[in-house]
Amino acid sequence: MQLLRRNARKEFSSLTLKCTLEALLRPAFIKSVRRYKAHAVAPPQPRALSGKSGHQVPKQDVRMNSLPSTSSIQSNVSAESTSMSIPPVIDIAPLICPDQHTQEHRDQVISQICQACETWGFFHVTSHGIPQQLQLDLQTQMRAFFLAADPEIRESVRRTASNSRGYADDELTKQLKDSKQIFDVGEAPRFQNLPEDHPKNHVQDGYNQWPNREHLPEFKSTVSSYFEACTHLCDILLGAVVESLGPGAREVMTNAFEEHTSFLRLNYYPVVQKSAEGTTDKLGISRHTDSGAITVIMQDGTAALEVYSGSKQDACDGTWVPVDPVSGALTINTGDMLMVWSNGRFKAPEHRVRAMTKVQRYSAPYFYNPSYDAIVAPLTSWDQHQSPRYRPIVWGDFRRQRFAGDYSNLGKEIQIEDFLI
Ligand SMILES: O=C(O)CCC(=O)C(=O)O
Ligand SMILES: [Fe+2]
């Protein structure tokens, strides 16, 4: 583990912001236990698990994509987009550079994050420490990969039923084919002196496949750097919310993420065919919740992501609310595992992506997932009045079943509701 972290450290040597650099290098490359301690913060007051806590999600209509096409990221996001952004925008500088802020500031930020997780399950973060240049570089590589004229560049890394990592253009969400193409990559291999596809480097999700260096020389290093930066950001975000989940939660999470199985997905949404009215009934991604703990989404400047304001899975009691990109921010959402750990207090929001009818879109969600053998069960000590609402889940089993459903239509896909007590 330490060795891998040390290799990743090299990737950041070009970062310039001192605070960012320190934040990226300091805790993420030492053992998880110490990572969380390095960011230890006073717990915010636990909030009651009640529909009345926090603000209510206002109802509003789906807003159609009105942003111009952009080839570069957040800097091109229009003012119109940001003013419509309803999930909160949280400046997390006090978490990224704790030495430069007071404990009070850190506590404020943590309580904002917890409130966002309890209500929307979505928020945007600024001052997150991931350099804009790295994001721009990632977008350049995404375009180079997905738009490469030679299809063999993608075909050579196509994922299979036994290897979830690589390229796909046939992803299913809730048994529906998404109008997008993806490339998935996970943690660097354990044995770096052996090829990535060596059996010793196979994990449950498979192994990383990389396009030929001759065609895309910067792809692997850029994607790997961005992956490590997201891991570090998620360590910090989880470290922030964990204190509010009661005594013992930090240790549980620390153990659960010791051998994290996170993966980064590169999404490309091509322009789909539309009707004479200029609309489509297709979706970039159908409604779903993310199955892991936390997702960090880098959106390009094109609005299409929406969160459901309704109360129930697959219900019709809410509306689709835009989660438009915010200049300089990354978009964060909570997933099923954090919802289970928090015993339903933090929401795993249903979200979807509209299909592109005018311009193509790119996004890069990083899914922060626990160890395969982590047993995820409700932590109830933060509210003694609650009994567990979910049965314990072995993350690796849940993940395996979800991937099987994403890969081929198995009928009803496993959902977190199946674990409700
Ligand atoms: O493209 C986006 O903005 C979000 C993607 C997403 O929700 C996912 O890949 O699970
Ligand atoms: Fe998602």
Side-chain angles (χ1 to χ4, degrees), residues 243-304:
E243 290 289 357
S244 74
L245 296 178
R250 182 172 294 276
E251 199 185 340
V252 169
M253 297 288 186
T254 300
N255 292 334
F257 284 84
E258 180 76 52
E259 299 286 330
H260 74 102
T261 61
S262 312
F263 68 98
L264 174 67
R265 170 164 290 176
L266 309 181
N267 280 322
Y268 164 52
Y269 303 90
V271 174
V272 299
Q273 278 206 326
K274 54 191 178 214
S275 67
E277 298 82 50
T279 58
T280 175
D281 56 4
K282 288 191 176 140
L283 283 167
I285 310 183
S286 299
R287 66 192 294 177
H288 68 283
T289 59
D290 292 346
S291 47
I294 295 174
T295 308
V296 174
I297 309 171
M298 185 180 77
Q299 303 192 56
D300 73 0
T302 309

